[in-house]
Amino acid sequence: MSAADTSAAAAGPTTVPTFTDVPDVVNRLRATGYLADDATATATYLADHLGKPLLVEGPAGVGKTELARAISQATDAELIRLQCYEGIDEARALYEWNHAKQILHIQATGNRAWEEAKTDIFSDEFLLPRPLLKAISRSGPTVLLIDEVDKADVDMEGLLLEVLSDFAVTIPEMGTVAASRRPIVLLTSNATRDLSEALKRRCLYLYIDFPDAAREREILASRVPHLSQALSAELVRIVGVLRTLDIRKKPSVAETIDWANTVLALGAGETGGQGSGSGGADKIDEGLIARTLGVVLKHRPDLKTALKELKLG
């Protein structure tokens, strides 16, 4: 570990804000195709300016991961993603050594004293950095996405607390790697389990729910511009009904967009044209709804419930 590394670790990383104010967040995210409401834009601005991680919670498919992508695009930052899952460990999150390459190097360089050999094999050439170390090591603008943190084991939270507190990683064989520039950090959660209070205390908090009908129509207009306004309103209305049902997986915004593209692909609902599958651009017939429900519902019991409640079968 160099003196510079020690100094950086002691001083802590610098926070370099990239957004000037909340309206700037709204405008720059909109330019990427992400339509942020006031709460989302405010939380993003504060995470950027205060240098605090942002915990984004909400149902699957409401745009939590997409928010991180939009921020990275809006700020010309590299997006580094740590996808959490049950059983993820320090080696997959931080770093591990390329043991096969180390062994080959030892064999190729002949018999040497351990003190001499270890200076070679414990170096950057043999280090496999994982997302957390990659994000900390970068000097340029970075967005670190820790996705679906609620799927990781509780023990993983201890590691995240350590990294997010100091933005430094100690590698016993090499020393401490400290961030020179604090990344924008987003943690997402589908709330499948409660996160520790210690982790929550270190984060700002944002809850993103399914958008209201007006916002979802606006999203469709942005993402599927050829869809007629009338059919957009009808699809959003039906999706809204589906989300009120007792089903296993409620349709996400992404699936609403997929459904809109589906009906267009089938010749329905294009602005300025007549759709063979819809009976016109202003409505969607029941047969087409029934045939394409599999775009928004992915479980057979959900399909049966929807067909019954929508009186389509």
Side-chain angles (χ1 to χ4, degrees):
M1 178 175 60
S2 67
D5 289 333
T6 305
S7 175
T14 58
T15 299
V16 183
T18 54
F19 296 107
T20 57
D21 51 28
V22 174
D24 183 45
V25 176
V26 173
N27 293 333
R28 290 168 69 178
L29 292 185
R30 179 181 288 271
T32 72
Y34 191 94
L35 306 182
D37 58 19
D38 289 340
T40 300
T42 301
T44 300
Y45 172 77
L46 292 175
D48 177 42
H49 271 251
L50 301 179
K52 291 181 69 68
L54 175 61
L55 172 60
V56 188
E57 204 166 54
V62 294
K64 303 186 296 295
T65 300
E66 189 62 28
L67 175 60
R69 293 196 183 99
I71 293 172
S72 70
Q73 294 173 18
T75 59
D76 292 323
E78 179 172 338
L79 176 63
I80 296 179
R81 178 179 182 177
L82 173 62
Q83 178 62 55
C84 296
Y85 52 87
E86 185 177 354
I88 188 173
D89 59 12
E90 185 172 321
R92 306 307 298 176
L94 271 178
Y95 70 90
E96 58 185 327
W97 293 105
N98 189 333
H99 298 299
K101 189 174 181 180
Q102 286 175 324
I103 292 171
L104 288 173
H105 181 78
I106 292 172
Q107 293 173 341
T109 54
N111 294 326
R112 294 187 300 165
W114 171 244
E115 291 300 322
E116 180 183 357
K118 73 178 183 180
T119 59
D120 290 341
I121 63 173
F122 292 119
S123 62
D124 289 338
E125 181 181 355
F126 301 94
L127 187 66
L128 299 175
R130 300 308 183 193
L132 295 181
L133 182 57
K134 285 181 180 178
I136 287 173
S137 302
R138 281 182 48 80
S139 58
T142 306
V143 174
L144 171 61
L145 169 62
I146 303 173
D147 214 5
E148 298 184 304
V149 65
D150 52 322
K151 289 186 177 179
D153 298 329
V154 176
D155 293 343
M156 188 66 185
E157 289 189 28
L159 172 64
L160 293 176
L161 284 170
E162 180 180 350
V163 172
L164 297 179
S165 294
D166 302 327
F167 286 94
V169 174
T170 298
I171 303 173
E173 299 86 355
M174 295 177 62
T176 298
V177 179
S180 59
R181 175 171 177 163
R182 190 185 299 266
I184 299 175
V185 181
L186 275 75
L187 302 90
T188 73
S189 168
N190 296 331
T192 58
R193 71 170 177 85
D194 290 333
L195 302 176
S196 70
E197 291 301 322
L199 182 62
K200 288 184 175 181
R201 279 197 303 271
R202 282 165 173 77
C203 301
L204 302 174
Y205 181 80
L206 171 67
Y207 186 87
I208 300 180
D209 206 345
F210 293 113
D212 60 26
R215 177 53 60 93
E216 196 155 14
R217 289 196 300 271
E218 188 179 3
I219 293 171
L220 279 185
S222 171
R223 297 300 182 91
V224 194
H226 297 299
L227 188 71
S228 71
Q229 292 183 9
L231 187 54
S232 172
E234 181 67 3
L235 292 179
V236 168
R237 184 191 68 79
I238 296 171
V239 168
V241 172
L242 294 177
R243 289 175 183 153
T244 66
L245 303 180
D246 183 18
I247 56 179
R248 179 174 173 182
K249 171 65 172 62
K250 299 182 187 299
S252 69
V253 176
E255 285 158 341
T256 306
I257 295 170
D258 287 343
W259 203 15
N261 283 316
T262 296
V263 297
L264 281 181
L266 293 173
E270 187 169 0
T271 301
Q274 293 296 313
S276 61
S278 68
D282 293 340
K283 62 181 180 179
I284 179 171
D285 66 44
E286 294 183 355
L288 185 58
I289 295 174
R291 297 199 309 272
T292 58
L293 266 182
V295 175
V296 290
L297 300 176
K298 308 299 173 64
H299 299 279
R300 186 180 179 188
D302 291 354
L303 284 169
K304 293 176 67 176
T305 298
L307 290 171
K308 178 181 178 181
E309 295 296 328
L310 294 174
K311 297 180 172 57
L312 299 176

